[in-house]
Amino acid sequence: MKRDDRRQLMAAFGMVGNVGIGMVASAAVGLIGGRFIDNWLDSSPWATVIGTLLGLIAGLWSAYKRVASDE
Amino acid sequence: MGHGGHEIGSHKVAHFFGFAFNMDTLYMTWMVMAIVIVLAILAVRRLETVPRGMQNAFEMAIEAIGGQVDATIGPNSRKVAPLLITLFVFLLTSNWLGLVPGFTSPTNDLNTTLGLALMIIGFVHVLGVGHHGLSHFKHFIQPHPLFLPINIIEEIARPITLSFRLFGNIMAGEILIILIAALPLYYGEPLVGVLWLGFSVIVGLIQAFIFTMLSTSYLSNSLKEEHH
């Protein structure tokens, strides 16, 4: 089925494009959120460190979920 | 500078009631809306069994996007297909409008893309609550309540990835068009310009498609019978 093949190819392109940018964006959200909490509670650098780590894990987690659900 | 008298990345800002408005983005958005509305009216004015012209083009778009939406969402797809097809047509027109000299894409403004992305994410939750009730929010603590902060970060990252990808691609395309036009004239310059324009047409199509497809996959999670 040529049409279905093309559909799957486009969906795969979308997925692959999203995995990379999703990992970066999650890490950035964790970092910025951590900085915000550090400024608020004057707890530098702990919230930034924890936030960045959580962001990195969130990036991996969303990539894993996306790949696992599309298989 | 060059293309439509715009500086790269800057907007004509007007202030009303303490808010700042990027007027060029607003004008171009109204223009895209007008184009889409006129084209849609032309497409349905004389419907024929064997479609021709505008009706044919619209039927192709509806079939392509509608088919993809159907395949992703399943039986509930009719609820959201009109929104997603409209989104695709709007984005495609927006992305291509910037390739016409004198015009800019509304999507080269982060406010437009972030607004659209937030609308989609908001709609995801409204639809999820409508479909599943408050148990829609259960997916935040799956597979374990410890995942709550991770899932929240992921949720915040979603509109950011959606909007920055579209904005970045369209913005970069327009910057390169201006830069190529500003190059000192040499033999290959018109060819490079034309090649880049052709490439931008494809980028505009692909980015509109990717935005629509990701929105579809986010919406499909709220319409599924059971959450994963």
Side-chain angles (χ1 to χ4, degrees):
Chain A
M1 293 277 274
K2 210 174 155 212
R3 202 190 185 98
D4 273 358
D5 281 353
R6 204 172 49 203
R7 198 164 279 169
Q8 279 188 346
L9 183 72
M10 292 297 268
F13 269 130
M15 192 191 88
V16 169
N18 200 41
V19 166
I21 194 173
M23 288 172 93
V24 177
S26 300
V29 168
L31 172 73
I32 294 167
R35 292 270 306 170
F36 179 75
I37 293 174
D38 265 345
N39 281 338
W40 181 34
L41 300 178
D42 206 15
S43 56
S44 179
W46 297 109
T48 310
V49 172
I50 294 168
T52 310
L53 280 176
L54 282 178
L56 289 169
I57 296 170
L60 287 173
W61 170 239
S62 75
Y64 167 76
K65 269 203 302 199
R66 191 149 277 274
V67 173
S69 70
D70 277 25
E71 257 175 8
Chain B
M1 175 173 179
H3 206 61
H6 286 278
E7 298 242 342
I8 296 175
S10 74
H11 295 281
K12 292 187 195 107
V13 183
H15 294 272
F16 297 110
F17 311 112
F19 293 102
F21 293 87
N22 291 345
M23 293 315 286
D24 46 343
T25 305
L26 268 183
Y27 295 145
M28 289 302 142
T29 309
W30 291 335
M31 180 142 207
V32 170
M33 280 155 56
I35 292 173
V36 172
I37 290 170
V38 168
L39 288 183
I41 290 173
L42 285 181
V44 296
R45 210 176 41 168
R46 273 198 305 270
L47 289 179
E48 292 170 34
T49 328
V50 182
R52 282 184 313 155
M54 198 52 67
Q55 188 191 347
N56 201 3
F58 262 75
E59 282 193 11
M60 248 170 68
I62 289 172
E63 211 167 284
I65 302 297
Q68 194 92 33
V69 172
D70 258 344
T72 315
I73 297 184
N76 282 323
S77 70
R78 296 282 144 154
K79 283 185 192 165
V80 291
L83 170 75
L84 291 164
I85 294 167
T86 312
L87 187 69
F88 176 76
V89 175
F90 176 81
L91 286 175
L92 188 65
T93 317
S94 302
N95 295 347
W96 282 355
L97 187 68
L99 305 179
V100 181
F103 297 93
T104 56
S105 299
T107 39
N108 82 2
D109 189 340
L110 187 56
N111 299 301
T112 307
T113 58
L114 193 58
L116 288 172
L118 286 175
M119 174 195 78
I120 291 293
I121 300 297
F123 192 49
V124 163
H125 291 296
V126 170
L127 213 57
V129 170
H131 209 245
H132 301 284
L134 284 180
S135 68
H136 162 71
F137 294 108
K138 247 187 357 205
H139 75 270
F140 277 110
I141 51 166
Q142 276 170 350
H144 190 275
L146 275 181
F147 273 69
L148 179 67
I150 293 173
N151 282 328
I152 290 176
I153 291 178
E154 196 200 336
E155 194 68 29
I156 298 173
R158 272 181 181 185
I160 296 179
T161 56
L162 255 187
S163 55
F164 273 71
R165 179 190 307 101
L166 179 60
F167 159 71
N169 274 286
I170 302 307
M171 182 79 180
E174 292 195 359
I175 288 176
L176 260 165
I177 288 175
I178 296 172
L179 286 181
I180 289 171
L183 282 177
L185 265 182
Y186 66 98
Y187 264 137
E189 198 252 344
L191 181 68
V192 176
V194 169
L195 280 181
W196 181 253
L197 264 181
F199 187 65
S200 296
V201 169
I202 298 172
V203 169
L205 174 67
I206 289 179
Q207 289 309 321
F209 186 78
I210 287 181
F211 194 102
T212 315
M213 279 308 104
L214 285 172
S215 308
T216 312
S217 94
Y218 294 154
L219 285 169
S220 79
N221 283 338
S222 7
L223 285 171
K224 255 192 222 147
E225 289 315 319
E226 46 156 343
H227 275 297
H228 59 88

